[in-house]
Amino acid sequence: MIGLSWLMIAFPLVGAFVLLVFGRFTNRWGHLLGVAMSLASFAVAVLAFFELVGFGEEQRRRAVHLYEFIPGMVDMGLLIDPLSISFALLITGVGSLIHIYSIGYMSHDEHRRRFFAYLNLFVAAMLLLVLADNYVGLFIGWEGVGLASYLLIGFWQFKPSAAVAAKKAFVVNRVGDFGLLVGMFLIWTTFGTLAFGELQPITSENPTTLAIGLLLLLGACGKSAQLPLQSWLLDAMEGPTPVSALIHAATMVTAGVYLVVRSGAFFFPEGSGAALAVAIVGAATLLAGAIIGCAKDDIKKGLAGSTMSQIGYMMLGAGLGPAGYAFAIGHLITHGFFKADLFLGAGSVMHGMNDEVDMRKYGGLRKLMPITFATFFIGYLAIIGFPLLSGYFTKDGIIETAVHHQPILGWLAVLGAGITGFYMSRMVFMTFFGQKRWADDAHPHESPSVMTIPLMILSLGALGLGAYLVLSNRLLLFLAPAVGRPEELPAFHFTSTPGLATLALVAVGAAFAWMRYGRAEVPSVQPRGSFLTTFARRDLYGDALNESLFMRPGQWLTRLAVYFDNRGIDGIVNGLAAGIGGSSGRLRRIQTGFARTYALSILIGAALLTGALLLVGNI
């Protein structure tokens, strides 16, 4: 089955092709085809996984050659190893659940068939990204994910806000893509190859390898919405909710983490400048995302800030080398489950509330939506790191490792966990507890089973997957053939100082949220708030900063170029043409068309010439 692993990409790609090419003829069953293609891809991934684990540890890197792509430079092939198959299982597994959920969520949309075509295209591109055995194949999948995200975010293009959000995501990601592309150029010119298997870990950092690492980090920041390229993520909530779950949980935003881990050769030896940059970006972003999440009343944007923060934890872990890789990838996998659970739970709430997203207009929904509440609450406990749930093992593992290797960044991660406890508790209390605050025309109700069953399955992953992956170092030992093994195997400590401090801060954050939003009455209108609240509501002024540093100077430069073109280049050309035209207009008046005028001119000319000759002869 490993030899047929290309079918993982082919199935959803064929689904997208059929649904787009045959158009309205597939409207009645197109959504079923989309789900079937995603499930078929998941089945191939599962079979390939079991075949892979049947090999010895030293043989768990299987190359699948497809064809010669660019002669003399790169062949197109797949790399099936523990890292790529872990991503493939997550993408196809969680992605299939999101496909199934979308059958109910998009049931009344007249363009549902096209929506499933874009979902299939997204999954196919993401699978190519993680399964390719070289940077060229990765980049093709990388750009395919960018295209599919543009189509999905702007799916409801009749909404100006959705169209603008899609363009914003597309443009911001092109900045990161430029970094990735230049990094690939440097890799080729320096090492003469773009194949992952032919790149050996560097023994000492030099300016070229540092530049490669930083350029790859720039690409990762764009795709994973890390500082300073995070501004597109919250606006991406304009797309349908299943899109938010797919982008934020199992696919697009995890691509940057995959790129850093897969490119580990350029980020180590440990303590290199590139690795430190990754860790710093992750720590800064986890705090920024958590702060933003504290002030959002839009339930989807609050979860988007949460995603930005949780990816920051993964980047922090990825910046710690092999000691942090397993926890980073483990948190990525568990986050795929509980964040998809949370986003789809938010979609279930919206489905029962006439698409209302303002949490100030919710309240008391736990009794009317019991399944949605129960599954959402499990996802909430997992993301705040409640003991023994998935997030407790993976996120606390990152924190403990960071405190050991980079103490300052590690304790900032502890602070971020406390803020997470506050904003996620705020979300739960405002949505499911307290008095009802919804409009009279709202009739909240539980979602159909096609939407709630995926929520139940995802919540099971949020419950126990983290313990299975982290305890006994199962995931670390499984990933070792692909990403390396630390000199000393880490052990998860239930009573470590960072872990206990994290739990204490999470409890304080949850208690503060209960006092503000659980016990006290929640105003239906957003209060003005302090400067810090405004700072968070405006996404830490990220858009204003981009506008000041890039957009307005770009406008001025454009206007200057237009002025110079109009008055300079065009002025010279148009002035020369006008001068010639004016002179011609004046000179043509000499030509009257009358013979007598020409005769008189000849006579006068002859007289003048004769007089001049006589004058010269006398002199």
Side-chain angles (χ1 to χ4, degrees), residues 73-157:
M73 183 177 182
V74 64
D75 291 339
M76 183 58 69
L78 305 180
L79 176 61
I80 308 301
D81 67 358
L83 181 62
S84 64
I85 202 66
S86 298
F87 272 82
L89 288 170
L90 177 67
I91 294 164
T92 57
V94 175
S96 294
L97 292 174
I98 294 171
H99 275 70
I100 295 171
Y101 176 96
S102 300
I103 293 176
Y105 191 87
M106 301 294 290
S107 60
H108 300 296
D109 195 295
E110 60 179 335
H111 301 295
R112 180 170 63 168
R113 178 263 314 162
R114 181 160 52 88
F115 179 78
F116 276 85
Y118 294 162
L119 287 185
N120 272 194
L121 179 63
F122 199 114
V123 170
M126 190 66 195
L127 286 169
L128 175 59
L129 191 159
V130 300
L131 293 176
D133 66 352
N134 60 80
Y135 282 102
V136 175
L138 179 148
F139 187 76
I140 295 172
W142 191 275
E143 292 304 299
V145 168
L147 170 63
S149 66
Y150 170 80
L151 296 173
L152 286 168
I153 294 169
F155 182 75
W156 287 327
Q157 54 194 261

Side-chain angles (χ1 to χ4, degrees), residues 547-597:
E547 184 175 327
S548 300
L549 293 180
F550 302 108
M551 191 275 284
R552 292 201 179 282
Q555 278 186 331
W556 298 333
L557 182 62
T558 301
R559 290 169 182 168
L560 178 62
V562 171
Y563 179 84
F564 178 74
D565 183 64
N566 289 338
R567 299 298 179 90
I569 304 300
D570 287 353
I572 294 173
V573 174
N574 295 337
L576 182 61
I580 294 175
S583 301
S584 301
R586 291 177 176 81
L587 289 174
R588 71 179 182 178
R589 295 176 183 174
I590 299 174
Q591 303 296 325
T592 63
F594 296 107
R596 59 180 179 273
T597 303

Side-chain angles (χ1 to χ4, degrees), residues 102 217 257 435 483 515 592:
S102 300
L217 174 59
V257 181
Q435 301 298 318
V483 301
M515 293 174 59
T592 63

